Amino acid sequence: MTAPTGGPVIVGADSSAASADALALGRWAAQTLDLPLIVAVVRPAPSAIGSGRVDAEWTADRHRAAEAVLATARDTLGDPPGVEYRVVASTSAAHGLHDLAEHENAALLVVGSRSTGPAARLFAGSTAERLLSGSVCPVAVAPAGLPQPPGALGRIGVAYVDTPDGRAALTEAARLARRTGSPLLLVTVVARGDAAVPFLLGDDAERAFLDTARETYEDALRKAAESVPGVTVNWELRSGDVVETLADLAEVDVLFCGSRGYGPARRVLLGGVSARLLRRACRPLVVVPRAP
């Protein structure tokens, strides 16, 4: 969640109620990591085709609307010193935030969830989902109506799987944990026996497979915990649906995960988990870019 160059935390704001949650999460991240905070609103860029006068009037109207969003953001934050407010012109919100993050060498991009989702649940719109495609830095999504302010629970979660992406998520989570003094909770989820495929393997073979898999996962969790110096690390192996189990992880301030994950036998964080978590997680989710 930190960048070695100390780049800023960037919050993408808009006119929805979800912006308040994104601003709260972004301010906490910037203060915790001792990084600059930039609040950005992306407005449509002028069209390359069309009436010059009409296009200019429409562009000016969109700029005024963006400035109004920034004014609301100032009021929401209490206009603290040192915060930058910017209007960015682009073809889409995701594209504009991508470009700004790359230009500023951002440490973190923060956006809110769509307000149409259930209370205290993420229901990420296209902006958050598109940000995950080729993002130059971790992307954090705040659930609608945060039940607790960021940092109140004092624990950092990691959806861990022993892959390059899982280890990248652990590294970023550990950096935040060192700044906050919070312990880490590493969670690996495996399918319950009744959720597996005994009709292919047979009941006995399936149980033997799950027992072996559990030993593999526990060993990976143990080694991962031992690999993080200077941080208290707890780990748990849980059974159930991967997305539902991780989405209900309410005892952490923030949950880190990789942008993709294929565990042993493709049982853990089986593809698309990060995207599905965006729509369901009850706590802020930080998706770490794919490891090179």
Side-chain angles (χ1 to χ4, degrees):
M1 195 167 171
T2 60
T5 56
V9 172
I10 297 176
V11 178
D14 59 24
S15 59
S16 72
S19 278
D21 300 310
L23 289 166
L25 181 60
R27 175 169 55 185
W28 173 73
Q31 292 175 343
T32 300
L33 300 171
D34 193 22
L35 295 174
L37 178 62
I38 296 176
V39 179
V41 177
V42 181
R43 67 164 177 81
S47 174
I49 302 176
S51 168
R53 179 178 178 181
V54 172
D55 192 52
E57 292 176 350
W58 179 79
T59 298
D61 178 72
R62 293 299 84 201
H63 187 83
R64 286 191 294 271
E67 290 288 359
V69 172
L70 289 183
T72 300
R74 285 190 181 92
D75 291 341
T76 300
L77 291 174
D79 200 16
V83 179
E84 289 188 54
Y85 301 88
R86 299 190 190 179
V87 175
V88 178
S90 185
T91 55
S92 72
H95 192 183
L97 292 174
H98 265 308
D99 288 347
L100 180 60
E102 186 171 11
H103 181 267
E104 296 293 336
N105 196 19
L108 182 70
L109 267 173
V110 184
V111 292
S113 62
R114 280 200 322 216
S115 58
T116 52
R121 289 280 175 175
L122 293 179
F123 195 85
S126 60
T127 296
E129 293 171 349
R130 291 175 183 174
L131 281 173
L132 297 182
S133 177
S135 177
V136 296
C137 66
V139 176
V141 183
L146 282 169
Q148 294 94 11
L153 299 174
R155 180 183 282 183
I156 309 298
V158 182
Y160 186 74
V161 58
D162 190 21
T163 64
D165 291 77
R167 291 189 287 273
L170 175 58
T171 297
E172 295 297 332
R175 289 174 179 164
L176 178 62
R178 291 189 185 97
R179 295 289 303 189
T180 62
S182 302
L184 287 175
L185 174 62
L186 278 56
V187 177
T188 295
V189 183
V190 296
R192 295 190 184 95
D194 59 5
V197 284
F199 61 91
L200 291 179
L201 299 177
D203 290 335
D204 293 340
E206 177 67 10
R207 281 193 292 271
F209 173 84
L210 289 174
D211 288 343
T212 301
R214 283 179 173 276
E215 292 177 4
T216 301
Y217 302 147
E218 288 177 352
D219 184 60
L221 283 165
R222 191 177 298 108
K223 290 179 179 177
E226 293 171 352
S227 72
V228 184
V231 177
T232 299
V233 183
N234 302 306
W235 58 267
E236 295 181 11
L237 186 64
R238 300 190 181 186
S239 297
D241 178 84
V242 176
V243 173
E244 291 294 337
T245 301
L246 293 175
D248 290 335
L249 199 66
E251 64 265 39
V252 298
D253 285 309
V254 62
L255 176 65
F256 284 76
C257 74
S259 57
R260 60 183 175 182
Y262 293 91
R266 299 177 66 172
R267 292 269 177 157
V268 181
L269 295 183
L270 183 63
V273 165
S274 58
R276 290 158 63 199
L277 270 176
L278 281 174
R279 301 180 182 94
R280 302 189 65 84
C282 67
R283 300 299 300 153
L285 181 71
V286 178
V287 182
V288 178
R290 293 181 175 185

